[in-house]
């Protein structure tokens, strides 16, 4: 019996079969991080990269394609995370083998080629293959797919009894609520011991599994639910590699194949755990499956630009990683990071198929290790608290305990639920959600003042009961500082009230407003609500809006009554602070341009991870593998400046979500849910042109989904200066920038300092050191941009190196002069030497003393030197002098007093200093007199 084929051979068989036999083009896998589909957490099917073709908004240079697509199903609608490890056929990451026809071949070829590959190339036993076809749907007016059934009977030699009909749930594929769709035909394999598993088809039985789905896309479902035939029919097939490898290798578990053996071997080597046995009930084998699956998923996602983080896609990865860490700790007693040690195995096994794994494997391992270490610091205490909570509860974990595990110890709720399932106990998820919502409310409360909580749900309910409707704030985009509205609610921090007196804080809700409420990273507007004098408000009233927030679709004007009293139902004039709004708009438009610049210079994986658009600055968090170097930072800033100088138009317009997602080059915050239609903001490209040609070359334009306010021309940004760049978390960098007048001031300051540094480079040797000190002091104190700062750091380093060289030369000259002067003094001989030498520093003075000592070892000696502001004194007394009563410490102290200073030291050697260089001659006479009295 021949050896079963390896997973690599099976993958290649699939690709080469369709390339050679049916002239398909082998296309690379698209990123598992769907950069062109902002509403999707991860690519979860092979068809994702061809959605535009099926929707009729895009084309390819080929009509037949074959690929192996990276897929992750660990969040959102398709989520297999909870099942991984508990059975032997679920995965978070898997490969989807697929062949495609775009208006070319259809059912006959797809069916015939699938049968040939399965039975002739891979030699699967025909009697164990079963196929399903669509049984029809009366509501849709569709009969059974007799065409596919006939083709299976006539083009293959499958047992006719192995063809069964199934309803819409199992055998009709749809992309979404509307769009391309059609019947499908699934191929199942029976691996029961006796091959009598026909009754188990479509029952999710582990021994009778679906291995291939052939989708016949032939209809378009309209918005009203009706179906119409497509002008061009397509084929979309998908086969999980892990499943077909299991079948071809003749085993009954996906994890019992050579896809997993290298990882299992590495886990055993790192932990000393018993070898993997493919036991569905063994907690050790569950841990093996979880660890191997999760490290593949982490590496694939991170290699395509995703990063573990606190929300969205990042939080999915963090949950996956922490599930693995917990399994390694509890099942295998691993107290050190383990997952990071498995990265090289994943890269070795999958790097040839998915080359992004080889781009920077060390970075993958480093980020994973940092995340593991962070969780390991709290894991053991969290596990202990879980045990206590489980013992305390009556067959369940309370929501309070589950929230504490999440909030304090970093346990995602699904991890707590998994641990509870292992003990056959439940988690009070309702109570947990209540604690989570309360924590969010406390977070929103911020400083805790009367208006910081916002408008509670019960207040909103009262407004709705009173007939109020959510605020119409469409005028926020009209670029008009003044509008009209009517008060529909006043909140004083505790209750809805009819009146708010002068000096009182509160929240005012209007029926319509021109104010922008804080959303999407852009801060809320400030300004005034003005009530004209009338019968109800005789003197009129002014409400100063200090912030604008949002509660659902209600806009909250937060502030204080400056004069008069506000009354419910007052008509108000809304007047925003237009100058502040312009600064915010400049920062928001600049943020979009910066986002585009980052993608251009850091690569497609440079995804936005957060932002703040305020009136005084902008902040942008970006995913990147390492800190950008000085040249890249300068290039990013210059990119933004060039876009400003080119005075590109900024357009904002609503567009259908499906079409907008297909725009070539569109950027969005991944994990966000966007409305349909979605507001598109484009810098440098007409949105009408985008809608006409979404697949055009728009990479030079900035295209984002955005609900914020913007300038209409980039030149109105004025200036742009990057101020900071720093690490925020593993794989995340934070940039802070200024625009407009603030940026211009900072730039002028930086230019001036650079000019001074340039001039200092040409300064004389005597002037250089003081000039460098002045520039360095101002450099530290001044606000200058990051590019200027780094250039200035380099210039100062060069100048300091020159100063250091000059100091060395001066010190050498000083030492030589001091030694020469000491030699002259030594020629006088005798047992007492006192004199001044031209020493520029202490080292030169001590060198002179050593010269005296060498020439006159028995002489007591005091030497001094001076400059414009200070005096240095050093004395040496040999044994004979000390026996006579002269002590060096007393000697220098007496002389230093005469120079306005002090000092002292040992009897044999001492140093001192003074502040009156002009007193040195007289002080040296004092030194001579003092010594002679002691020496007799």
């Amino acid at each position: 019996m021949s050896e079963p084929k390896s997973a690599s051979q099976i993958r290649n068989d699939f690709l080469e079969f369709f390339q050679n036999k049916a002239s398909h083009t082998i296309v690379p896998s698209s990123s598992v991080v769907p950069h062109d589909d902002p509403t999707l957490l991860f690519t979860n099917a092979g068809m994702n990269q061809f959605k535009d073709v099926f929707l009729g908004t895009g084309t390819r240079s080929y009509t037949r394609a074959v690929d192996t697509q990276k897929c992750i199903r660990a969040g959102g609608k398709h989520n297999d995370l909870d099942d991984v490890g508990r059975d032997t056929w679920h995965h978070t990451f898997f490969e989807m083998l697929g062949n495609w026809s775009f208006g070319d071949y259809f059912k006959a070829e797809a069916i015939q080629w699938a049968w040939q590959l399965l039975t002739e190339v891979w030699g699967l036993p025909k009697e164990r293959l079963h196929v399903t076809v669509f049984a029809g749907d009366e509501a849709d007016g569709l009969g059974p797919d007799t065409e596919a059934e006939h083709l299976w009977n006539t083009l293959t030699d499958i047992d006719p009894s192995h063809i069964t009909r199934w309803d819409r749930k199992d055998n009709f594929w749809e992309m979404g609520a509307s769009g391309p769709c059609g019947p499908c035909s699934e191929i199942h394999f029976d691996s029961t011991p006796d091959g009598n598993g026909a009754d188990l088809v479509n029952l999710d039985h582990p021994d009778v599994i679906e291995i291939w789905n052939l989708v016949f896309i032939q209809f378009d479902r309209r918005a009203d639910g009706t179906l119409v035939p497509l002008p061009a029919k397509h084929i979309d097939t998908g086969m999980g590699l892990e499943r077909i490898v299991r079948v071809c290798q003749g085993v009954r578990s996906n994890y019992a194949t050579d896809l997993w053996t290298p990882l299992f071997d590495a886990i055993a080597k790192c932990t000393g755990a018993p070898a993997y046995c493919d036991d569905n009930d063994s907690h050790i084998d569950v841990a093996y499956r979880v660890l191997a699956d999760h490290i593949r998923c982490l590496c694939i996602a991170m290699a395509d630009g995703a990063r573990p983080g606190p929300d969205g896609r990042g939080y999915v990865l963090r949950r996956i990683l922490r599930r693995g860490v917990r399994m390694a700790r509890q099942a295998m007693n691993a107290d050190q990071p383990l997952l990071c040690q498995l990265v090289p195995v994943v890269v070795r096994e999958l790097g040839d198929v998915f080359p992004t794994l080889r781009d920077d494997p060390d970075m993958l391992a480093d980020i994973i290790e940092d995340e593991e270490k962070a969780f390991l610091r709290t894991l053991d205490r969290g596990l202990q608290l879980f045990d206590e909570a489980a013992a305390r509860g009556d067959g369940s974990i309370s929501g309070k305990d589950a929230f504490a595990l999440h909030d304090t110890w970093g346990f995602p709720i699904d991890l707590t639920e998994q641990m509870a399932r292992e003990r056959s106990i439940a988690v009070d998820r309702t109570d947990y959600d209540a604690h989570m919502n309360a924590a969010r409310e406390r977070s929103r409360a911020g400083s805790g003042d009367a208006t910081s909580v916002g408008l509670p749900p019960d207040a909103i309910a009262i407004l709705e009961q009173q007939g109020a409707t959510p605020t119409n704030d469409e005028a926020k985009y009209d670029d008009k500082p003044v509008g009209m509205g009517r008060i529909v609610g006043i909140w004083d921090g505790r209750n809805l009230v009819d009146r708010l007196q002068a000096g009182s804080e509160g929240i005012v809700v209007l029926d319509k407003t021109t104010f922008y409420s804080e959303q999407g990273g852009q801060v809320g507007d400030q300004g005034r609500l003005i009530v004209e004098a009338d019968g109800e408000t005789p003197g009129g009233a002014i409400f100063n809006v200090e912030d604008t927030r949002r509660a659902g679709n209600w806009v909250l004007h937060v502030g204080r009554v400056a004069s008069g009293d506000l009354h419910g139902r007052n008509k108000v004039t809304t007047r925003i602070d237009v100058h502040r709004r312009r600064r915010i708009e400049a920062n928001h438009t600049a943020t979009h341009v910066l986002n585009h610049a980052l993608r251009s210079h850091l690569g497609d994986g440079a995804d936005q991870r957060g932002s703040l658009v305020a009136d005084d600055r902008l902040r942008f968090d970006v995913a990147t593998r390492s800190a950008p170097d000085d040249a890249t930072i300068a290039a990013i800033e210059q990119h933004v400046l060039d876009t400003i100088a080119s005075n590109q138009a900024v357009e904002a317009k609503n567009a259908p979500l499906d079409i907008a997602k297909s725009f070539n080059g569109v950027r969005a915050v991944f994990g966000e849910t966007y409305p349909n239609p979605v507001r598109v903001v484009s810098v440098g490209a007409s949105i009408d042109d985008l809608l006409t040609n979404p697949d055009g070359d728009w990479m030079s334009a900035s295209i984002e989904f955005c609900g914020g306010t913007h300038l209409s021309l980039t030149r109105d940004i004025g200036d742009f200066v990057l101020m900071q760049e720093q690490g925020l978390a593993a794989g995340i960098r934070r940039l802070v920038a200024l625009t407009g007048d603030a940026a211009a001031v900072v730039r002028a300051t930086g230019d001036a300092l650079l000019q001074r540094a340039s001039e200092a480079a040409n300064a004389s040797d005597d002037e250089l050191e003081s000039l460098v000190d002045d520039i360095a002091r101002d450099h530290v104190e001044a606000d200058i941009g990051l590019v200027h700062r780094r250039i200035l750091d380099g210039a100062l380093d060069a100048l300091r190196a020159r100063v250091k060289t000059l100091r060395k030369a001066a010190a050498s000259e000083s030492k030589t002069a001091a030694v020469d002067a000491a030699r002259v003094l030594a020629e006088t001989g005798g047992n007492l030497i006192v004199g001044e030498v031209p020493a520029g520093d202490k080292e030169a003075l001590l060198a002179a003393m050593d010269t005296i000592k060498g020439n006159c070892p028995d002489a007591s000696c005091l030497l001094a030197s001076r400059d414009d502001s200070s005096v240095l004194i050093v004395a040496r007394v040999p044994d004979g002098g000390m026996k006579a009563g002269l002590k060096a410490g007393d000697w220098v102290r007496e002389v230093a007093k005469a120079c306005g200073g002090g000092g002292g030291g040992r009897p044999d050697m001492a140093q001192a200093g003074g502040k009156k260089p002009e007193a040195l001659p007289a002080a040296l006479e004092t030194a001579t007199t003092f010594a002679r009295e002691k020496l007799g």
Side-chain angles (χ1 to χ4, degrees):
M1 184 176 179
S2 61
E3 284 290 318
K5 291 189 175 186
S6 69
S8 178
Q9 289 173 313
I10 293 167
R11 183 192 296 112
N12 289 335
D13 282 347
F14 185 88
L15 298 174
E16 292 172 1
F17 176 87
F18 285 100
Q19 180 188 45
N20 298 332
K21 183 177 184 63
S23 303
H24 286 57
T25 297
I26 297 179
V27 297
S29 170
S30 63
S31 171
V32 80
V33 179
H35 301 291
D36 58 349
D37 193 344
T39 62
L40 195 60
L41 279 176
F42 297 104
T43 298
N44 57 28
M47 55 76 57
N48 289 148
Q49 69 168 307
F50 301 119
K51 281 173 70 172
D52 61 321
V53 180
F54 296 139
L55 289 168
T57 60
T59 60
R60 298 293 187 274
S61 60
Y62 44 81
T63 59
R64 299 181 178 189
V66 61
D67 72 348
T68 179
Q69 171 64 48
K70 297 174 282 190
C71 296
I72 290 178
R73 292 184 178 174
K77 178 181 177 181
H78 301 285
N79 185 2
D80 292 336
L81 179 58
D82 290 344
D83 294 316
V84 171
R86 296 163 59 190
D87 60 37
T88 60
W89 62 90
H90 277 100
H91 311 283
T92 54
F93 160 75
F94 64 95
E95 291 184 54
M96 182 72 85
L97 303 172
N99 58 290
W100 318 85
S101 167
F102 310 123
D104 190 337
Y105 64 84
F106 200 46
K107 294 181 184 179
E109 294 86 347
I111 290 171
Q112 188 171 27
W113 290 334
W115 189 255
Q116 289 176 356
L117 177 61
L118 293 172
T119 62
E120 297 175 14
V121 177
W122 289 331
L124 299 186
K126 300 172 184 178
E127 66 276 10
R128 288 183 175 269
L129 291 170
H130 297 258
V131 299
T132 62
V133 296
F134 180 49
D137 188 271
E138 187 174 337
D140 279 334
L142 297 176
D145 190 359
T146 54
E147 178 187 9
E149 188 172 19
H150 173 73
L151 291 169
W152 278 112
N153 275 309
T154 57
L155 297 179
T156 75
D157 53 352
I158 189 172
D159 182 341
S161 68
H162 286 196
I163 304 172
T164 53
R165 296 180 179 183
W166 294 79
D167 62 15
R168 175 176 167 180
K169 173 181 173 293
D170 292 301
N171 277 76
F172 194 87
W173 178 89
E174 302 195 56
M175 181 181 292
S178 61
C181 55
C184 61
S185 188
E186 295 178 343
I187 306 173
H188 298 251
F189 186 82
D190 177 5
S191 58
T192 58
D194 58 5
N196 289 322
D199 293 341
L200 301 176
V201 170
N202 264 347
L203 295 184
D204 291 326
H205 193 281
D207 284 337
V208 180
I209 58 171
E210 173 203 337
I211 58 173
W212 204 347
N213 188 13
L214 314 181
V215 179
F216 312 126
I217 302 176
Q218 61 190 95
F219 299 109
D220 179 24
R221 187 175 293 279
R222 298 290 175 83
D224 62 3
T226 59
L227 294 174
V228 296
L230 285 171
K233 298 177 181 179
H234 312 292
I235 289 293
D236 163 9
T237 86
M239 179 195 307
L241 175 69
E242 291 74 12
R243 290 192 175 192
I244 193 61
V245 169
R246 160 189 170 177
V247 169
C248 289
Q249 293 185 358
V251 293
R252 297 174 69 183
S253 158
N254 289 12
Y255 290 92
T257 70
D258 67 329
L259 279 170
W260 305 94
T261 304
L263 277 168
F264 290 162
D265 289 346
I267 293 168
K269 182 178 180 181
C270 290
T271 64
Y276 180 73
C277 298
D278 204 41
D279 184 342
N280 209 28
D281 297 321
S282 164
H283 71 285
I284 290 288
D285 283 0
V286 169
Y288 266 111
R289 290 191 289 269
V290 167
L291 288 165
D293 171 89
H294 288 9
I295 190 58
R296 294 206 323 163
C297 182
L298 289 166
C299 287
I300 288 290
M302 291 170 59
D304 280 355
R307 296 290 181 273
D311 48 35
R313 180 182 298 122
Y315 190 57
V316 173
L317 294 184
R318 181 164 287 168
R319 287 165 51 204
I320 290 171
L321 188 145
R322 291 185 175 184
R323 285 167 60 96
V325 173
R326 198 274 301 192
M327 274 292 185
R329 183 77 184 95
Q330 283 196 300
M332 297 182 170
N333 202 32
D335 57 2
Q336 296 297 320
L338 170 62
L339 290 167
C340 59
Q341 299 181 60
L342 306 178
V343 172
V345 183
V346 177
V347 174
R348 184 179 68 241
E349 294 300 310
L350 294 177
D352 289 342
V353 187
F354 307 120
T356 55
L357 284 168
R358 298 193 183 278
D359 288 347
D360 196 348
D362 290 341
M363 177 273 296
L364 302 181
D366 289 345
I367 293 176
I368 291 172
E369 182 179 17
D370 288 345
E371 287 278 332
E372 288 188 272
K373 286 179 176 177
F375 190 44
L376 282 169
R377 283 194 289 269
T378 63
L379 177 59
D380 285 342
R381 179 57 178 151
L383 292 173
Q384 179 184 346
L385 292 177
F386 177 86
D387 290 341
E388 294 172 3
R392 193 165 48 241
D394 184 15
S396 68
I397 302 291
S398 72
K400 180 180 178 181
D401 287 330
F403 177 74
L405 285 168
H406 162 80
D407 191 50
T408 305
W409 306 104
F411 281 46
I413 182 60
D414 62 303
L415 177 56
T416 300
E417 289 177 325
Q418 179 187 1
M419 294 164 59
R421 279 195 301 270
E422 291 168 2
R423 300 194 183 193
S424 300
I425 59 178
V427 175
D428 189 340
R429 186 61 183 261
T430 301
D431 190 32
Y432 167 84
D433 290 339
H435 279 83
M436 178 63 77
N437 291 332
R440 288 171 178 152
E441 285 297 324
R442 289 193 298 271
S443 177
R444 281 193 285 267
S447 62
D449 61 78
T451 60
S452 62
V453 175
L455 205 60
D458 55 347
I460 294 175
I462 293 172
L463 290 178
E464 291 173 339
Q465 289 169 10
Q466 294 173 350
T469 56
T471 312
N472 181 341
D473 63 347
E474 292 178 0
K476 65 190 177 187
Y477 297 129
D478 289 348
D479 207 28
K480 295 177 182 177
V482 178
M484 297 298 297
R486 182 183 291 275
I487 296 176
V488 298
I490 301 174
W491 175 258
D492 68 356
R494 296 176 300 277
N495 300 293
L496 286 170
V497 296
D498 292 327
R499 192 179 91 170
L500 200 62
Q501 295 179 320
S504 300
E505 292 182 342
I507 294 174
V508 177
V509 184
L510 305 179
D511 62 346
K512 54 185 177 181
T513 185
T514 55
F515 280 73
Y516 180 90
S517 56
E518 180 177 358
Q519 199 172 13
Q522 179 175 329
V523 299
D525 278 333
Q526 294 177 355
R528 288 182 168 190
L529 305 181
I530 303 168
V531 180
E532 300 295 337
D534 58 18
E536 190 174 22
T537 312
I542 296 176
F543 182 84
N544 286 336
V545 180
E546 298 165 0
D547 193 7
T548 310
R549 303 177 191 161
R550 198 170 195 89
N553 290 323
W554 301 81
V555 175
L556 315 181
H557 304 82
V558 182
R560 184 187 301 270
V561 181
S563 63
D565 293 348
L566 281 185
H567 294 271
R569 311 308 298 174
N570 273 149
K571 288 183 179 180
V572 301
T573 299
T574 60
R575 184 181 296 275
I576 65 171
D577 181 341
V578 69
H579 298 294
R580 181 176 181 270
R581 167 75 83 87
R582 292 293 177 268
R583 294 194 299 272
I584 293 171
E585 290 175 341
N587 283 333
H588 204 157
T589 301
T591 299
H592 283 220
V593 178
L594 174 60
N595 191 3
H596 185 263
L598 290 167
R599 184 181 193 182
S600 299
H601 295 279
L602 300 181
D604 283 345
D607 293 329
Q608 179 177 344
R609 287 292 185 267
S611 68
L612 170 69
V613 178
D615 63 312
D616 61 341
R617 70 195 185 284
L618 67 90
R619 189 180 72 212
F620 195 90
D621 300 337
V622 62
T624 185
R625 294 172 179 172
S626 59
D629 58 24
D630 292 353
T632 303
I633 287 291
I636 290 167
E637 181 173 291
Q638 191 58 51
H639 183 123
V640 177
L641 291 170
D642 290 343
T643 303
I644 293 171
S646 64
N647 197 26
Q648 296 181 18
V650 183
E651 288 192 18
K653 184 180 290 187
N654 285 343
L657 181 59
D658 285 345
I659 297 176
K661 288 191 297 185
S662 71
F663 291 161
N664 186 18
V666 69
R667 302 289 274 178
V669 179
F670 298 120
E672 287 282 344
T673 300
Y674 291 94
N676 187 17
V678 66
R679 189 165 183 267
V680 179
V681 174
S682 173
V683 180
S686 162
I687 295 179
D688 287 339
D689 290 344
L690 288 169
L691 290 167
T692 302
N693 182 21
D695 289 324
D697 184 7
W698 304 114
M699 299 304 292
S700 62
S702 164
I703 309 165
E704 298 193 33
F705 298 166
C706 176
T709 62
H710 287 268
L711 302 171
S712 57
L713 294 169
T714 58
R715 73 177 174 196
D716 293 334
I717 296 172
D719 205 345
F720 176 89
V721 174
L722 287 171
M723 296 298 293
Q724 297 176 27
E725 188 282 325
Q726 63 189 50
L728 183 63
I732 307 293
R733 309 296 298 182
R734 169 166 288 178
L735 293 93
V736 177
L738 302 178
T739 63
D741 292 342
V745 170
V746 165
R747 184 177 300 282
T749 303
D751 286 342
L753 283 170
L754 286 177
Q755 179 62 30
R756 287 169 59 188
S758 176
E759 292 170 355
N762 298 317
S764 67
D765 293 348
D766 294 338
E767 299 175 311
L768 182 61
E769 186 166 359
S770 64
L771 289 173
V772 171
D773 288 344
D774 289 345
I775 296 169
R777 182 189 63 250
D778 293 345
H779 173 35
V780 171
E781 296 175 355
D783 281 333
I784 64 173
L786 184 60
V787 173
H788 279 84
R789 188 174 296 280
R790 292 184 176 183
I791 294 173
L792 191 57
D793 285 341
L796 283 172
D797 286 345
L799 291 172
R800 289 185 179 113
R802 182 179 159 197
V803 168
K804 186 176 181 181
T805 300
L806 291 173
R807 283 177 177 170
K808 285 183 178 179
S812 178
E813 292 176 5
S814 174
K815 184 176 180 180
T816 299
V819 168
D820 289 345
R823 288 196 182 103
V824 173
L825 289 171
E827 290 174 359
T828 63
N831 67 346
L832 177 63
I833 298 174
V834 176
E836 179 181 359
V837 296
D841 54 29
K842 184 174 69 175
E843 284 72 20
L845 191 60
L846 291 173
M849 179 61 76
D850 288 341
T851 300
I852 297 290
K853 178 182 177 182
N855 286 277
C856 305
D858 296 326
S860 297
C861 178
L862 184 144
L863 300 177
S865 65
R866 57 179 165 170
D867 57 21
D868 293 339
S869 60
S870 63
V871 177
L872 291 174
I873 305 165
V874 61
R876 173 187 172 274
V877 179
D879 289 342
M882 287 188 288
K883 289 178 181 178
L886 180 63
K887 296 181 179 179
D890 296 338
W891 196 8
V892 297
R893 189 177 299 111
E894 193 72 20
V895 177
K897 282 195 294 184
C899 295
R906 303 193 313 267
D908 63 324
M909 192 75 179
Q911 301 175 28
K915 300 176 182 178
K916 298 178 179 179
E918 70 277 4
L920 181 59
L924 291 177
E925 292 180 6
T926 300
T928 301
T929 300
F930 182 88
R932 282 176 176 168
E933 289 176 356
K934 298 294 184 182
L935 294 173

